[in-house]
Amino acid sequence: GEDVEQSLFLSVREGDSSVINCTYTDSSSTYLYWYKQEPGAGLQLLTYIFSNMDMKQDQRLTVLLNKKDKHLSLRIADTQTGDSAIYFCAVHVAGNMLTFGGGTRLMVKP
Amino acid sequence: DGGITQSPKYLFRKEGQNVTLSCEQNLNHDAMYWYRQDPGQGLRLIYYSQIVNDFQKGDIAEGYSVSREKKESFPLTVTSAQKNPTAFYLCASSIGSGDTQYFGPGTRLTVL
């Protein structure tokens, strides 16, 4: 089955850019997602990208997809303290449910 | 407002008691899911349902049970057979089983 991996932790200074990375194994993925989880809350859908796209930008968020390397990244520009959260990537392969990564905890220092 | 609700937000139970967590959605979604999240951990799938009156075990179904009698509702019962039930429980729904999942706010269960 699909395997989705993320690094556990990322620390950045307020105002810097954050880049959260995700790798997956199944090259037949269709949609790839980023979710945000704030402390004690559910997961909030941030953005998604279709597998025939290389990049998607939405305000401070930029998603990059490298299908050859099976690598997905989420860049947050001008990172704020309110961006501190756990970020999950999730991958959909046709005929299956979403597979979630283990989450990356982003800490933003003032 | 359309969305997914979970109740209660916090739940305390004594060891050996069964407890039922509520999940309701008014998004007209066919598929619903239950996940467990332990501190500092990712999501683990407990049960999922693709349609009313049907459900399947996920990766960690032992000690849990579900029902899907209505499209809007997917309650999860944590039984006394679950060895370590203290965790954060998340419910989600999607249009179909492979579609975007939308999450409820979660229920934190503490067994004393």
Side-chain angles (χ1 to χ4, degrees):
Chain A
E2 176 75 271
D3 190 23
V4 181
E5 298 285 340
Q6 298 180 241
S7 53
L8 285 177
F9 189 75
L10 176 66
S11 178
V12 300
R13 293 232 172 256
E14 192 174 17
D16 288 349
S17 292
S18 309
V19 179
I20 303 170
N21 295 301
C22 173
T23 58
Y24 57 96
T25 54
D26 195 323
S27 58
S28 59
S29 59
T30 53
Y31 285 92
L32 301 100
Y33 299 83
W34 284 104
Y35 288 85
K36 175 184 180 182
Q37 185 183 33
E38 297 184 2
L43 275 67
Q44 171 195 353
L45 178 65
L46 278 181
T47 187
Y48 64 90
I49 189 167
F50 191 52
S51 59
N52 67 354
M53 299 168 66
D54 297 325
M55 185 182 85
K56 180 179 180 181
Q57 187 155 3
D58 184 1
Q59 299 182 339
R60 292 191 298 123
L61 305 179
T62 303
V63 178
L64 294 177
L65 175 61
N66 182 328
K67 285 198 71 176
K68 175 176 168 292
D69 294 338
K70 303 189 194 70
H71 183 267
L72 180 73
S73 67
L74 174 69
R75 178 177 180 269
I76 306 173
D78 187 25
T79 312
Q80 302 299 306
T81 54
D83 295 322
S84 292
I86 302 174
Y87 291 81
F88 290 91
C89 71
V91 178
H92 172 243
V93 174
N96 293 284
M97 296 186 303
L98 296 189
T99 301
F100 287 85
T104 299
R105 183 178 295 274
L106 174 65
M107 178 180 288
V108 182
K109 298 179 182 177
Chain B
D1 279 342
I4 304 172
T5 57
Q6 292 185 243
S7 61
K9 188 164 179 63
Y10 300 97
L11 190 53
F12 297 89
R13 279 294 182 268
K14 291 183 180 178
E15 198 171 332
Q17 289 182 331
N18 291 357
V19 61
T20 297
L21 282 60
S22 168
C23 178
E24 304 277 333
Q25 54 97 1
N26 61 3
L27 300 168
N28 201 32
H29 286 173
D30 282 321
M32 297 186 74
Y33 314 81
W34 275 105
Y35 294 92
R36 171 180 171 141
Q37 187 178 30
D38 291 285
Q41 303 291 315
L43 306 177
R44 290 189 289 170
L45 183 65
I46 305 172
Y47 268 98
Y48 66 98
S49 168
Q50 295 178 297
I51 202 163
V52 175
N53 293 322
D54 184 57
F55 49 83
Q56 286 82 39
K57 293 181 179 180
D59 301 319
I60 56 163
E62 186 175 348
Y64 299 97
S65 66
V66 293
S67 63
R68 187 85 188 276
E69 296 175 3
K70 297 188 300 181
K71 188 175 187 176
E72 303 80 20
S73 179
F74 191 40
L76 173 74
T77 297
V78 184
T79 75
S80 56
Q82 168 51 233
K83 295 287 184 276
N84 185 18
T86 294
F88 190 52
Y89 290 87
L90 287 161
C91 179
S93 71
S94 62
I95 295 172
S97 63
D99 295 310
T100 306
Q101 291 185 22
Y102 297 90
F103 284 79
T107 292
R108 185 167 299 282
L109 172 63
T110 303
V111 175
L112 306 170

